[in-house]
Amino acid sequence: MKTVILSYPIENNSPHYIGTTKPSLEPITQIKKFDDYNTYKITVGNHSGTHIDAPKHYVDSGKSIIDYSPEDLTFKNPIVLDCPKKPYTLIDVEDIDETDLNKCDCLLFKTGFGNYRKTDLQKYLTKSPGISVETVAWIRKNHPQIRCLGIDTISISRYDDAENAKETHITGFKTGTYYGEPLLFIEDMNLNFDENLKLREIMVIPWQIKGVDSAPCTVIGFF
């Protein structure tokens, strides 16, 4: 079995959704400056870099990320779906309705937009595609066993579309008679792994911080 990290490390100037806190790693003490040890001050918004959204992000009565156990954050039947998208476009039901999702518990969308993270950061941040409200609703109604969606863009919602952002998240997080458990969303994923590898399982390890809705995370893929 091979393991691959499907998330990005936090570093100075890590991509972050425009309008949120810019990540910063500031040295406090440094051995090279004749201090006895190295320490840092880390400033980061909880939606910076690769992070996982829990329901409390948009539904105040929903679960915070710390309410999830390691078992809740382990997915035994993930599927990576190639779904190339142009700027500002949305992943629609037609993009996924012919895919066999009956055993899937975590659906990861590879739009190809993650390629711009290093080559054209401004495009990555301001022209990103997303997932339509109808697609999230369709997944929850037709495949309630799916507990998590992930994407290789800065957000599951396209940039500069506040209505899409709100409705897409709420549709994923709200409870309903015909829905399974509220979804989790992993944003800003690194899905550029060797296509010859077969993804068997993923584990999400969020920062353990009480009192916040969501958190940066490490995503480990087992191949």
Side-chain angles (χ1 to χ4, degrees):
M1 182 176 289
K2 180 180 178 65
T3 57
V4 176
I5 301 297
L6 303 180
S7 49
Y8 295 102
I10 295 290
E11 55 188 329
N12 275 318
N13 302 316
S14 280
H16 59 291
Y17 199 80
I18 292 175
T20 62
T21 303
K22 178 181 178 181
S24 172
L25 282 68
E26 177 186 352
I28 303 300
T29 60
Q30 294 181 282
I31 295 172
K32 68 181 180 182
K33 292 187 176 181
F34 309 107
D35 294 313
D36 290 336
Y37 45 78
N38 293 316
T39 61
Y40 289 81
K41 176 183 178 181
I42 302 172
T43 303
V44 62
N46 68 322
H47 291 267
S48 295
T50 306
H51 61 280
I52 184 166
D53 286 354
K56 196 173 181 65
H57 183 34
Y58 269 84
V59 179
D60 206 38
S61 60
K63 285 185 177 181
S64 298
I65 192 60
I66 203 167
D67 295 325
Y68 289 84
S69 69
E71 289 79 14
D72 295 330
L73 298 171
T74 300
F75 304 93
K76 301 288 188 179
N77 293 289
I79 289 178
V80 179
L81 183 62
D82 275 316
C83 197
K85 285 293 167 182
K86 295 180 180 179
Y88 301 122
T89 57
L90 293 174
I91 296 169
D92 293 316
V93 174
E94 291 78 12
D95 293 312
I96 65 171
D97 62 355
E98 294 186 1
T99 302
D100 183 0
L101 300 175
N102 290 321
K103 294 183 179 179
C104 177
D105 56 3
C106 179
L107 181 57
L108 307 177
F109 293 103
K110 185 176 180 180
T111 68
F113 220 75
N115 294 324
Y116 296 114
R117 198 179 193 269
K118 287 187 176 181
T119 63
D120 191 341
L121 181 58
Q122 190 66 13
K123 184 174 183 177
Y124 184 71
L125 295 178
T126 64
K127 297 183 179 181
S128 61
I131 307 173
S132 73
V133 176
E134 294 77 15
T135 299
V136 175
W138 184 89
I139 290 170
R140 294 201 67 193
K141 290 177 181 177
N142 292 278
H143 297 283
Q145 84 284 352
I146 293 178
R147 299 183 285 116
C148 182
L149 304 182
I151 196 167
D152 61 346
T153 62
I154 196 67
S155 172
I156 63 156
S157 54
R158 64 183 171 192
Y159 178 72
D160 204 23
D161 187 346
E163 189 62 28
N164 172 251
K166 180 179 179 180
E167 292 303 316
T168 302
H169 282 84
I170 289 177
T171 300
F173 295 148
K174 67 184 180 181
T175 58
T177 304
Y178 301 105
Y179 289 166
E181 290 295 311
L183 293 173
L184 292 160
F185 293 127
I186 312 172
E187 299 171 322
D188 193 28
M189 291 190 71
N190 182 2
L191 297 179
N192 290 321
F193 53 81
D194 185 344
E195 293 183 358
N196 293 317
L197 296 175
K198 170 67 175 176
L199 182 61
R200 302 289 186 184
E201 180 179 330
I202 69 168
M203 177 180 291
V204 184
I205 307 172
W207 293 10
Q208 295 295 289
I209 306 172
K210 287 188 176 182
V212 300
D213 57 291
S214 312
C217 64
T218 299
V219 184
I220 302 173
F222 298 88
F223 293 82

